[in-house]
Amino acid sequence: MTASFDITRHQFASFDGHSISYLLSGPSTGPAVLLVHGFVSDATLNWVKGGTVAQLAEAGFRVTAPDLRGHGQSAKPHNDGAYPDDVLAQDQGALLAHLGIQRVHLVGYSLGAITVARMVERGADAASMVLSGMGDGLTIASGRGDKFVAALTGQMPISDPFAATVLGFVKRMRGDKTALAQVIRGRKSVSIDALARWTAPCLVLNGEHDQDNGDGAALAAMIPGARAQSIAGNHMDAILKPGFAQAITAFLKAQKPEVSTST
């Protein structure tokens, strides 16, 4: 019989003092997994609702799932100084240090995939990686981010289908448009040269109808030993499909278990 673990919420002060909220579940001695959600979303919607946290916890992993800065129950500052380059990657590094975690499995969706990739480029000790909701747009500072900013700041008319979709999601999530625009302005792409130097096992996981951030197979081809996998769904709903959590759990369970979770 599998164990059932509670999901608890916590807060900590990040590297610059801003409060970051995060969820914990699973055995405290299990291999560590960091789940990083997508833009406008939060840890609960992306990782709890679809069952990813529960499946990983029951598989024996120590699961941490933060709300990104500007999202969920984390701080949503408006000032430019609160969003330096790589602030999201910096927050995750501070969170891992706060928890005493060194080596970790990194899993990110969409903006979360960019964030964990930036963590690796900055030197994070990744046991493995899952880049989901992401294609070869990971390496491109594309106009998609600029479109998000335009929609969030009123520079794009609400009649535009993209703006209507973005603003509708922000409203459902009770998001802060100013903070979210700041998050996007501070994003950084990942260099192709950095991808070519990665050595940790990597899965690129996307919905079969998700081309929002480019081609997943093309991204996997840039990373030594990586493989691409498709499941049912598109960019908005693949993460909630049963196959999504199952694919991540199967991939992580296949990795070597000698992952150190703490200092």
Side-chain angles (χ1 to χ4, degrees), residues 159-194:
S159 58
D160 184 283
F162 182 86
T165 299
V166 170
L167 294 176
F169 190 30
V170 171
K171 183 176 181 179
R172 290 195 300 276
M173 295 299 297
R174 299 181 181 179
D176 183 316
K177 291 186 290 184
T178 300
L180 291 168
Q182 290 283 49
V183 167
I184 289 297
R185 289 188 182 105
R187 78 198 187 285
K188 290 175 68 70
S189 58
V190 179
S191 74
I192 295 175
D193 288 345

PDB file of all heavy atoms in Angstrom, residues 159-194:
ATOM      1  N   SER A 159      -9.900  43.473 -27.373  1.00  0.00           N
ATOM      2  CA  SER A 159     -10.552  42.745 -28.461  1.00  0.00           C
ATOM      3  C   SER A 159      -9.612  41.757 -29.140  1.00  0.00           C
ATOM      4  O   SER A 159     -10.064  40.843 -29.842  1.00  0.00           O
ATOM      5  CB  SER A 159     -11.090  43.729 -29.508  1.00  0.00           C
ATOM      6  OG  SER A 159     -10.052  44.538 -30.018  1.00  0.00           O
ATOM      7  N   ASP A 160      -8.303  41.916 -28.926  1.00  0.00           N
ATOM      8  CA  ASP A 160      -7.347  40.976 -29.495  1.00  0.00           C
ATOM      9  C   ASP A 160      -7.508  39.625 -28.804  1.00  0.00           C
ATOM     10  O   ASP A 160      -7.541  39.560 -27.575  1.00  0.00           O
ATOM     11  CB  ASP A 160      -5.920  41.498 -29.300  1.00  0.00           C
ATOM     12  CG  ASP A 160      -4.886  40.614 -29.966  1.00  0.00           C
ATOM     13  OD1 ASP A 160      -4.581  39.545 -29.408  1.00  0.00           O
ATOM     14  OD2 ASP A 160      -4.368  40.998 -31.023  1.00  0.00           O
ATOM     15  N   PRO A 161      -7.625  38.532 -29.550  1.00  0.00           N
ATOM     16  CA  PRO A 161      -7.841  37.222 -28.928  1.00  0.00           C
ATOM     17  C   PRO A 161      -6.762  36.838 -27.924  1.00  0.00           C
ATOM     18  O   PRO A 161      -7.065  36.223 -26.896  1.00  0.00           O
ATOM     19  CB  PRO A 161      -7.859  36.263 -30.125  1.00  0.00           C
ATOM     20  CG  PRO A 161      -8.273  37.107 -31.284  1.00  0.00           C
ATOM     21  CD  PRO A 161      -7.672  38.456 -31.026  1.00  0.00           C
ATOM     22  N   PHE A 162      -5.502  37.179 -28.212  1.00  0.00           N
ATOM     23  CA  PHE A 162      -4.418  36.856 -27.277  1.00  0.00           C
ATOM     24  C   PHE A 162      -4.611  37.602 -25.964  1.00  0.00           C
ATOM     25  O   PHE A 162      -4.519  37.023 -24.876  1.00  0.00           O
ATOM     26  CB  PHE A 162      -3.058  37.212 -27.893  1.00  0.00           C
ATOM     27  CG  PHE A 162      -1.878  36.867 -27.013  1.00  0.00           C
ATOM     28  CD1 PHE A 162      -1.322  35.595 -27.055  1.00  0.00           C
ATOM     29  CD2 PHE A 162      -1.325  37.811 -26.154  1.00  0.00           C
ATOM     30  CE1 PHE A 162      -0.236  35.270 -26.250  1.00  0.00           C
ATOM     31  CE2 PHE A 162      -0.245  37.492 -25.343  1.00  0.00           C
ATOM     32  CZ  PHE A 162       0.305  36.218 -25.398  1.00  0.00           C
ATOM     33  N   ALA A 163      -4.898  38.908 -26.051  1.00  0.00           N
ATOM     34  CA  ALA A 163      -5.111  39.711 -24.851  1.00  0.00           C
ATOM     35  C   ALA A 163      -6.302  39.202 -24.057  1.00  0.00           C
ATOM     36  O   ALA A 163      -6.257  39.110 -22.821  1.00  0.00           O
ATOM     37  CB  ALA A 163      -5.311  41.181 -25.218  1.00  0.00           C
ATOM     38  N   ALA A 164      -7.372  38.862 -24.755  1.00  0.00           N
ATOM     39  CA  ALA A 164      -8.570  38.372 -24.075  1.00  0.00           C
ATOM     40  C   ALA A 164      -8.278  37.081 -23.311  1.00  0.00           C
ATOM     41  O   ALA A 164      -8.727  36.894 -22.163  1.00  0.00           O
ATOM     42  CB  ALA A 164      -9.691  38.152 -25.083  1.00  0.00           C
ATOM     43  N   THR A 165      -7.506  36.185 -23.925  1.00  0.00           N
ATOM     44  CA  THR A 165      -7.158  34.926 -23.262  1.00  0.00           C
ATOM     45  C   THR A 165      -6.284  35.167 -22.045  1.00  0.00           C
ATOM     46  O   THR A 165      -6.532  34.619 -20.958  1.00  0.00           O
ATOM     47  CB  THR A 165      -6.430  33.995 -24.250  1.00  0.00           C
ATOM     48  OG1 THR A 165      -7.293  33.703 -25.344  1.00  0.00           O
ATOM     49  CG2 THR A 165      -6.020  32.703 -23.566  1.00  0.00           C
ATOM     50  N   VAL A 166      -5.254  36.002 -22.210  1.00  0.00           N
ATOM     51  CA  VAL A 166      -4.332  36.277 -21.101  1.00  0.00           C
ATOM     52  C   VAL A 166      -5.063  36.942 -19.944  1.00  0.00           C
ATOM     53  O   VAL A 166      -4.952  36.524 -18.777  1.00  0.00           O
ATOM     54  CB  VAL A 166      -3.159  37.158 -21.575  1.00  0.00           C
ATOM     55  CG1 VAL A 166      -2.334  37.646 -20.382  1.00  0.00           C
ATOM     56  CG2 VAL A 166      -2.279  36.388 -22.546  1.00  0.00           C
ATOM     57  N   LEU A 167      -5.821  37.992 -20.245  1.00  0.00           N
ATOM     58  CA  LEU A 167      -6.488  38.739 -19.181  1.00  0.00           C
ATOM     59  C   LEU A 167      -7.586  37.908 -18.512  1.00  0.00           C
ATOM     60  O   LEU A 167      -7.830  38.042 -17.309  1.00  0.00           O
ATOM     61  CB  LEU A 167      -7.057  40.032 -19.741  1.00  0.00           C
ATOM     62  CG  LEU A 167      -6.002  41.031 -20.231  1.00  0.00           C
ATOM     63  CD1 LEU A 167      -6.666  42.242 -20.869  1.00  0.00           C
ATOM     64  CD2 LEU A 167      -5.080  41.476 -19.093  1.00  0.00           C
ATOM     65  N   GLY A 168      -8.217  37.030 -19.284  1.00  0.00           N
ATOM     66  CA  GLY A 168      -9.210  36.138 -18.689  1.00  0.00           C
ATOM     67  C   GLY A 168      -8.575  35.187 -17.693  1.00  0.00           C
ATOM     68  O   GLY A 168      -9.127  34.950 -16.604  1.00  0.00           O
ATOM     69  N   PHE A 169      -7.404  34.651 -18.028  1.00  0.00           N
ATOM     70  CA  PHE A 169      -6.694  33.751 -17.119  1.00  0.00           C
ATOM     71  C   PHE A 169      -6.207  34.499 -15.883  1.00  0.00           C
ATOM     72  O   PHE A 169      -6.319  34.009 -14.758  1.00  0.00           O
ATOM     73  CB  PHE A 169      -5.527  33.098 -17.863  1.00  0.00           C
ATOM     74  CG  PHE A 169      -4.865  31.977 -17.113  1.00  0.00           C
ATOM     75  CD1 PHE A 169      -5.568  31.173 -16.221  1.00  0.00           C
ATOM     76  CD2 PHE A 169      -3.512  31.708 -17.320  1.00  0.00           C
ATOM     77  CE1 PHE A 169      -4.946  30.133 -15.545  1.00  0.00           C
ATOM     78  CE2 PHE A 169      -2.884  30.657 -16.648  1.00  0.00           C
ATOM     79  CZ  PHE A 169      -3.603  29.876 -15.752  1.00  0.00           C
ATOM     80  N   VAL A 170      -5.694  35.710 -16.095  1.00  0.00           N
ATOM     81  CA  VAL A 170      -5.251  36.524 -14.959  1.00  0.00           C
ATOM     82  C   VAL A 170      -6.411  36.786 -14.005  1.00  0.00           C
ATOM     83  O   VAL A 170      -6.265  36.691 -12.773  1.00  0.00           O
ATOM     84  CB  VAL A 170      -4.639  37.857 -15.445  1.00  0.00           C
ATOM     85  CG1 VAL A 170      -4.389  38.806 -14.276  1.00  0.00           C
ATOM     86  CG2 VAL A 170      -3.337  37.604 -16.204  1.00  0.00           C
ATOM     87  N   LYS A 171      -7.570  37.087 -14.551  1.00  0.00           N
ATOM     88  CA  LYS A 171      -8.737  37.341 -13.704  1.00  0.00           C
ATOM     89  C   LYS A 171      -9.133  36.101 -12.922  1.00  0.00           C
ATOM     90  O   LYS A 171      -9.411  36.178 -11.716  1.00  0.00           O
ATOM     91  CB  LYS A 171      -9.911  37.822 -14.569  1.00  0.00           C
ATOM     92  CG  LYS A 171     -11.147  38.190 -13.762  1.00  0.00           C
ATOM     93  CD  LYS A 171     -12.245  38.739 -14.667  1.00  0.00           C
ATOM     94  CE  LYS A 171     -13.471  39.131 -13.848  1.00  0.00           C
ATOM     95  NZ  LYS A 171     -14.542  39.695 -14.732  1.00  0.00           N
ATOM     96  N   ARG A 172      -9.133  34.941 -13.585  1.00  0.00           N
ATOM     97  CA  ARG A 172      -9.491  33.696 -12.893  1.00  0.00           C
ATOM     98  C   ARG A 172      -8.508  33.371 -11.785  1.00  0.00           C
ATOM     99  O   ARG A 172      -8.896  32.832 -10.736  1.00  0.00           O
ATOM    100  CB  ARG A 172      -9.559  32.530 -13.892  1.00  0.00           C
ATOM    101  CG  ARG A 172     -10.731  32.598 -14.854  1.00  0.00           C
ATOM    102  CD  ARG A 172     -10.957  31.274 -15.543  1.00  0.00           C
ATOM    103  NE  ARG A 172      -9.819  30.821 -16.328  1.00  0.00           N
ATOM    104  CZ  ARG A 172      -9.570  31.192 -17.572  1.00  0.00           C
ATOM    105  NH1 ARG A 172     -10.376  32.059 -18.188  1.00  0.00           N
ATOM    106  NH2 ARG A 172      -8.525  30.705 -18.222  1.00  0.00           N
ATOM    107  N   MET A 173      -7.250  33.690 -12.001  1.00  0.00           N
ATOM    108  CA  MET A 173      -6.217  33.400 -11.006  1.00  0.00           C
ATOM    109  C   MET A 173      -6.049  34.527  -9.987  1.00  0.00           C
ATOM    110  O   MET A 173      -5.212  34.443  -9.091  1.00  0.00           O
ATOM    111  CB  MET A 173      -4.870  33.161 -11.706  1.00  0.00           C
ATOM    112  CG  MET A 173      -4.836  31.928 -12.590  1.00  0.00           C
ATOM    113  SD  MET A 173      -5.147  30.399 -11.681  1.00  0.00           S
ATOM    114  CE  MET A 173      -3.754  30.363 -10.552  1.00  0.00           C
ATOM    115  N   ARG A 174      -6.847  35.597 -10.145  1.00  0.00           N
ATOM    116  CA  ARG A 174      -6.740  36.770  -9.271  1.00  0.00           C
ATOM    117  C   ARG A 174      -5.303  37.310  -9.271  1.00  0.00           C
ATOM    118  O   ARG A 174      -4.735  37.647  -8.236  1.00  0.00           O
ATOM    119  CB  ARG A 174      -7.188  36.431  -7.841  1.00  0.00           C
ATOM    120  CG  ARG A 174      -8.643  35.975  -7.769  1.00  0.00           C
ATOM    121  CD  ARG A 174      -9.076  35.681  -6.356  1.00  0.00           C
ATOM    122  NE  ARG A 174     -10.469  35.232  -6.309  1.00  0.00           N
ATOM    123  CZ  ARG A 174     -11.116  34.883  -5.196  1.00  0.00           C
ATOM    124  NH1 ARG A 174     -10.471  34.928  -4.031  1.00  0.00           N
ATOM    125  NH2 ARG A 174     -12.371  34.501  -5.238  1.00  0.00           N
ATOM    126  N   GLY A 175      -4.743  37.357 -10.477  1.00  0.00           N
ATOM    127  CA  GLY A 175      -3.364  37.791 -10.628  1.00  0.00           C
ATOM    128  C   GLY A 175      -3.194  39.301 -10.567  1.00  0.00           C
ATOM    129  O   GLY A 175      -4.149  40.060 -10.727  1.00  0.00           O
ATOM    130  N   ASP A 176      -1.968  39.704 -10.353  1.00  0.00           N
ATOM    131  CA  ASP A 176      -1.585  41.112 -10.291  1.00  0.00           C
ATOM    132  C   ASP A 176      -0.913  41.458 -11.619  1.00  0.00           C
ATOM    133  O   ASP A 176       0.214  41.039 -11.889  1.00  0.00           O
ATOM    134  CB  ASP A 176      -0.628  41.311  -9.114  1.00  0.00           C
ATOM    135  CG  ASP A 176      -0.216  42.761  -8.893  1.00  0.00           C
ATOM    136  OD1 ASP A 176       0.089  43.444  -9.896  1.00  0.00           O
ATOM    137  OD2 ASP A 176      -0.158  43.191  -7.734  1.00  0.00           O
ATOM    138  N   LYS A 177      -1.601  42.217 -12.471  1.00  0.00           N
ATOM    139  CA  LYS A 177      -1.102  42.486 -13.819  1.00  0.00           C
ATOM    140  C   LYS A 177       0.239  43.218 -13.810  1.00  0.00           C
ATOM    141  O   LYS A 177       1.122  42.921 -14.628  1.00  0.00           O
ATOM    142  CB  LYS A 177      -2.140  43.278 -14.616  1.00  0.00           C
ATOM    143  CG  LYS A 177      -3.394  42.496 -14.952  1.00  0.00           C
ATOM    144  CD  LYS A 177      -4.335  43.268 -15.857  1.00  0.00           C
ATOM    145  CE  LYS A 177      -4.973  44.438 -15.126  1.00  0.00           C
ATOM    146  NZ  LYS A 177      -5.969  45.121 -15.983  1.00  0.00           N
ATOM    147  N   THR A 178       0.411  44.155 -12.898  1.00  0.00           N
ATOM    148  CA  THR A 178       1.665  44.919 -12.848  1.00  0.00           C
ATOM    149  C   THR A 178       2.830  44.018 -12.468  1.00  0.00           C
ATOM    150  O   THR A 178       3.899  44.048 -13.099  1.00  0.00           O
ATOM    151  CB  THR A 178       1.550  46.077 -11.849  1.00  0.00           C
ATOM    152  OG1 THR A 178       0.490  46.946 -12.259  1.00  0.00           O
ATOM    153  CG2 THR A 178       2.851  46.864 -11.777  1.00  0.00           C
ATOM    154  N   ALA A 179       2.654  43.202 -11.449  1.00  0.00           N
ATOM    155  CA  ALA A 179       3.714  42.290 -11.027  1.00  0.00           C
ATOM    156  C   ALA A 179       4.030  41.275 -12.117  1.00  0.00           C
ATOM    157  O   ALA A 179       5.203  40.967 -12.380  1.00  0.00           O
ATOM    158  CB  ALA A 179       3.320  41.585  -9.739  1.00  0.00           C
ATOM    159  N   LEU A 180       3.002  40.762 -12.779  1.00  0.00           N
ATOM    160  CA  LEU A 180       3.215  39.772 -13.829  1.00  0.00           C
ATOM    161  C   LEU A 180       3.981  40.361 -15.010  1.00  0.00           C
ATOM    162  O   LEU A 180       4.854  39.700 -15.589  1.00  0.00           O
ATOM    163  CB  LEU A 180       1.871  39.204 -14.287  1.00  0.00           C
ATOM    164  CG  LEU A 180       1.150  38.318 -13.265  1.00  0.00           C
ATOM    165  CD1 LEU A 180      -0.292  38.053 -13.714  1.00  0.00           C
ATOM    166  CD2 LEU A 180       1.894  37.008 -13.064  1.00  0.00           C
ATOM    167  N   ALA A 181       3.671  41.599 -15.359  1.00  0.00           N
ATOM    168  CA  ALA A 181       4.413  42.257 -16.436  1.00  0.00           C
ATOM    169  C   ALA A 181       5.881  42.426 -16.052  1.00  0.00           C
ATOM    170  O   ALA A 181       6.785  42.248 -16.883  1.00  0.00           O
ATOM    171  CB  ALA A 181       3.784  43.609 -16.762  1.00  0.00           C
ATOM    172  N   GLN A 182       6.144  42.737 -14.788  1.00  0.00           N
ATOM    173  CA  GLN A 182       7.516  42.873 -14.321  1.00  0.00           C
ATOM    174  C   GLN A 182       8.260  41.543 -14.411  1.00  0.00           C
ATOM    175  O   GLN A 182       9.441  41.494 -14.770  1.00  0.00           O
ATOM    176  CB  GLN A 182       7.528  43.376 -12.872  1.00  0.00           C
ATOM    177  CG  GLN A 182       7.079  44.815 -12.694  1.00  0.00           C
ATOM    178  CD  GLN A 182       8.180  45.795 -13.092  1.00  0.00           C
ATOM    179  OE1 GLN A 182       8.779  45.692 -14.165  1.00  0.00           O
ATOM    180  NE2 GLN A 182       8.448  46.749 -12.221  1.00  0.00           N
ATOM    181  N   VAL A 183       7.579  40.458 -14.074  1.00  0.00           N
ATOM    182  CA  VAL A 183       8.193  39.134 -14.165  1.00  0.00           C
ATOM    183  C   VAL A 183       8.663  38.870 -15.597  1.00  0.00           C
ATOM    184  O   VAL A 183       9.799  38.423 -15.828  1.00  0.00           O
ATOM    185  CB  VAL A 183       7.198  38.039 -13.721  1.00  0.00           C
ATOM    186  CG1 VAL A 183       7.717  36.649 -14.104  1.00  0.00           C
ATOM    187  CG2 VAL A 183       6.959  38.106 -12.220  1.00  0.00           C
ATOM    188  N   ILE A 184       7.804  39.143 -16.562  1.00  0.00           N
ATOM    189  CA  ILE A 184       8.155  38.875 -17.957  1.00  0.00           C
ATOM    190  C   ILE A 184       9.283  39.780 -18.436  1.00  0.00           C
ATOM    191  O   ILE A 184      10.180  39.345 -19.170  1.00  0.00           O
ATOM    192  CB  ILE A 184       6.917  39.031 -18.858  1.00  0.00           C
ATOM    193  CG1 ILE A 184       5.949  37.872 -18.606  1.00  0.00           C
ATOM    194  CG2 ILE A 184       7.299  39.064 -20.331  1.00  0.00           C
ATOM    195  CD1 ILE A 184       6.507  36.507 -18.967  1.00  0.00           C
ATOM    196  N   ARG A 185       9.275  41.022 -18.026  1.00  0.00           N
ATOM    197  CA  ARG A 185      10.345  41.935 -18.447  1.00  0.00           C
ATOM    198  C   ARG A 185      11.712  41.439 -17.989  1.00  0.00           C
ATOM    199  O   ARG A 185      12.731  41.686 -18.648  1.00  0.00           O
ATOM    200  CB  ARG A 185      10.086  43.340 -17.889  1.00  0.00           C
ATOM    201  CG  ARG A 185       8.914  44.078 -18.529  1.00  0.00           C
ATOM    202  CD  ARG A 185       8.876  45.514 -18.050  1.00  0.00           C
ATOM    203  NE  ARG A 185       7.751  46.257 -18.599  1.00  0.00           N
ATOM    204  CZ  ARG A 185       6.655  46.588 -17.901  1.00  0.00           C
ATOM    205  NH1 ARG A 185       6.558  46.229 -16.617  1.00  0.00           N
ATOM    206  NH2 ARG A 185       5.675  47.265 -18.467  1.00  0.00           N
ATOM    207  N   GLY A 186      11.772  40.750 -16.855  1.00  0.00           N
ATOM    208  CA  GLY A 186      13.051  40.311 -16.303  1.00  0.00           C
ATOM    209  C   GLY A 186      13.485  38.921 -16.748  1.00  0.00           C
ATOM    210  O   GLY A 186      14.522  38.431 -16.314  1.00  0.00           O
ATOM    211  N   ARG A 187      12.725  38.294 -17.646  1.00  0.00           N
ATOM    212  CA  ARG A 187      13.063  36.929 -18.054  1.00  0.00           C
ATOM    213  C   ARG A 187      14.325  36.923 -18.916  1.00  0.00           C
ATOM    214  O   ARG A 187      14.667  37.911 -19.561  1.00  0.00           O
ATOM    215  CB  ARG A 187      11.904  36.299 -18.826  1.00  0.00           C
ATOM    216  CG  ARG A 187      11.812  36.780 -20.269  1.00  0.00           C
ATOM    217  CD  ARG A 187      10.481  36.526 -20.889  1.00  0.00           C
ATOM    218  NE  ARG A 187      10.478  36.851 -22.309  1.00  0.00           N
ATOM    219  CZ  ARG A 187      10.450  38.077 -22.809  1.00  0.00           C
ATOM    220  NH1 ARG A 187      10.455  39.133 -22.003  1.00  0.00           N
ATOM    221  NH2 ARG A 187      10.429  38.275 -24.125  1.00  0.00           N
ATOM    222  N   LYS A 188      15.007  35.788 -18.940  1.00  0.00           N
ATOM    223  CA  LYS A 188      16.176  35.615 -19.793  1.00  0.00           C
ATOM    224  C   LYS A 188      16.029  34.295 -20.548  1.00  0.00           C
ATOM    225  O   LYS A 188      15.503  33.318 -20.013  1.00  0.00           O
ATOM    226  CB  LYS A 188      17.469  35.586 -18.967  1.00  0.00           C
ATOM    227  CG  LYS A 188      17.840  36.927 -18.346  1.00  0.00           C
ATOM    228  CD  LYS A 188      19.057  36.803 -17.455  1.00  0.00           C
ATOM    229  CE  LYS A 188      20.328  36.504 -18.218  1.00  0.00           C
ATOM    230  NZ  LYS A 188      20.803  37.640 -19.036  1.00  0.00           N
ATOM    231  N   SER A 189      16.485  34.266 -21.780  1.00  0.00           N
ATOM    232  CA  SER A 189      16.483  33.012 -22.529  1.00  0.00           C
ATOM    233  C   SER A 189      17.714  32.194 -22.139  1.00  0.00           C
ATOM    234  O   SER A 189      18.612  32.672 -21.450  1.00  0.00           O
ATOM    235  CB  SER A 189      16.466  33.285 -24.039  1.00  0.00           C
ATOM    236  OG  SER A 189      17.588  34.067 -24.400  1.00  0.00           O
ATOM    237  N   VAL A 190      17.733  30.948 -22.576  1.00  0.00           N
ATOM    238  CA  VAL A 190      18.826  30.034 -22.267  1.00  0.00           C
ATOM    239  C   VAL A 190      19.690  29.882 -23.513  1.00  0.00           C
ATOM    240  O   VAL A 190      19.177  29.744 -24.627  1.00  0.00           O
ATOM    241  CB  VAL A 190      18.272  28.664 -21.824  1.00  0.00           C
ATOM    242  CG1 VAL A 190      19.401  27.697 -21.530  1.00  0.00           C
ATOM    243  CG2 VAL A 190      17.372  28.840 -20.613  1.00  0.00           C
ATOM    244  N   SER A 191      20.999  29.897 -23.343  1.00  0.00           N
ATOM    245  CA  SER A 191      21.872  29.831 -24.513  1.00  0.00           C
ATOM    246  C   SER A 191      21.953  28.398 -25.057  1.00  0.00           C
ATOM    247  O   SER A 191      21.930  27.426 -24.305  1.00  0.00           O
ATOM    248  CB  SER A 191      23.279  30.331 -24.154  1.00  0.00           C
ATOM    249  OG  SER A 191      23.971  29.376 -23.387  1.00  0.00           O
ATOM    250  N   ILE A 192      22.055  28.291 -26.363  1.00  0.00           N
ATOM    251  CA  ILE A 192      22.203  26.983 -27.006  1.00  0.00           C
ATOM    252  C   ILE A 192      23.495  26.319 -26.552  1.00  0.00           C
ATOM    253  O   ILE A 192      23.552  25.101 -26.327  1.00  0.00           O
ATOM    254  CB  ILE A 192      22.153  27.129 -28.537  1.00  0.00           C
ATOM    255  CG1 ILE A 192      20.765  27.629 -28.981  1.00  0.00           C
ATOM    256  CG2 ILE A 192      22.486  25.809 -29.222  1.00  0.00           C
ATOM    257  CD1 ILE A 192      20.652  27.922 -30.465  1.00  0.00           C
ATOM    258  N   ASP A 193      24.554  27.102 -26.382  1.00  0.00           N
ATOM    259  CA  ASP A 193      25.824  26.543 -25.917  1.00  0.00           C
ATOM    260  C   ASP A 193      25.673  25.935 -24.528  1.00  0.00           C
ATOM    261  O   ASP A 193      26.261  24.883 -24.240  1.00  0.00           O
ATOM    262  CB  ASP A 193      26.904  27.631 -25.883  1.00  0.00           C
ATOM    263  CG  ASP A 193      27.368  28.045 -27.272  1.00  0.00           C
ATOM    264  OD1 ASP A 193      27.076  27.305 -28.240  1.00  0.00           O
ATOM    265  OD2 ASP A 193      27.996  29.104 -27.395  1.00  0.00           O
ATOM    266  N   ALA A 194      24.880  26.569 -23.673  1.00  0.00           N
ATOM    267  CA  ALA A 194      24.668  26.023 -22.330  1.00  0.00           C
ATOM    268  C   ALA A 194      23.937  24.694 -22.393  1.00  0.00           C
ATOM    269  O   ALA A 194      24.280  23.739 -21.675  1.00  0.00           O
ATOM    270  CB  ALA A 194      23.892  27.017 -21.472  1.00  0.00           C
TER     271      ALA A 194
END
